[in-house]
Amino acid sequence: MELTNLYKCLCDVQRLRILNLLKEGPLCVCHLQEILGETQVKTSKQLQYMKKLGVVGARREGVWMVYSLPEPTHPVLLANLHCLQADTDGFGDLIGDLKKRSAILRRFAANPGECPPVVYQATDGCHG
Amino acid sequence: MELTNLYKCLCDVQRLRILNLLKEGPLCVCHLQEILGETQVKTSKQLQYMKKLGVVGARREGVWMVYSLPEPTHPVLLANLHCLQADTDGFGDLIGDLKKRSAILRRFAANPGECPPVVYQATDGCHG
DNA sequence: TTAATATATGCAATAAGAAGTATATGTAGA
DNA sequence: TCTACATATACTTCTTATTGCATATATTAA
């Protein structure tokens, strides 16, 4: 993957937030949508954009499409996502997003029918 | 400066090459133009773009406009520029660019009238 | 098969960026 | 002043993204 593709993804706040979330584990479109507070179409299209550039991967799990960072994730992407947490200028959302993600994952633990196993099993990156 | 602005600059190969060069020290438009093998207008416009986003700074020195990374340079920008040298996928230019820069700086040492003092004095990042 | 849910796609409008040509501005020196 | 040089800007054309709305597809369950 070209490194510029990676930066093309990072230069949009929406996509940046998505990548920040996927860093913690895979998520479905509907849950990203819920966390970001965005429409289905917009969220889906951002994901398509990143998928086409090879920055995120997707696999179908029943009704859901589970998006995730490819393994192994490009070290430059990881490094940048790591920096983001530290840099809080205009990105107060990022921490909040992770908290929302954790809340959603806890909800899944209660009723597992709400998402595919891959997602609710990814409780490793669970903050807050 | 917003971090996304930084990524907006990095997502274009031309701009990436410029930033990679400026990391080593300030340069005038004409010299960047010479190294990149691009037209004056194109080079100038890329610099304007980055200047507007606050990623590079400029100051006039006589006939020349000297572009440079602002002090202190954003740590995320520095970190990424540092990674670039390591990652050679499709960026063979980067090392070559630095060599061309060094050659130009040596040329300046011989005839100092070719650029403002700020530029030819910046021999610190001189590779090759 | 039908219905419900999750997701993707096609189309249209708009905005943002890229690139070229011509020209303007600013500075220094004669 | 005029000239030469370095750089910027205006204007046009073209491509790429962004967004919204409507609709299509895919999967599951009934």
Side-chain angles (χ1 to χ4, degrees), chain A residues 8 12 15 38-39 41-42 45-46 49 60 62-63:
Chain A
K8 276 188 185 177
D12 175 90
R15 294 194 286 262
E38 276 299 339
T39 65
V41 179
K42 202 170 163 186
K45 281 184 179 170
Q46 296 279 27
Y49 180 91
R60 181 170 280 280
V63 204

Side-chain angles (χ1 to χ4, degrees), chain B residues 8 12 15 41-42 45 49 60 62-63:
Chain B
K8 278 187 184 175
D12 175 90
R15 294 193 288 261
V41 179
K42 202 170 162 187
K45 279 183 182 171
Y49 180 91
R60 182 172 278 281
V63 203

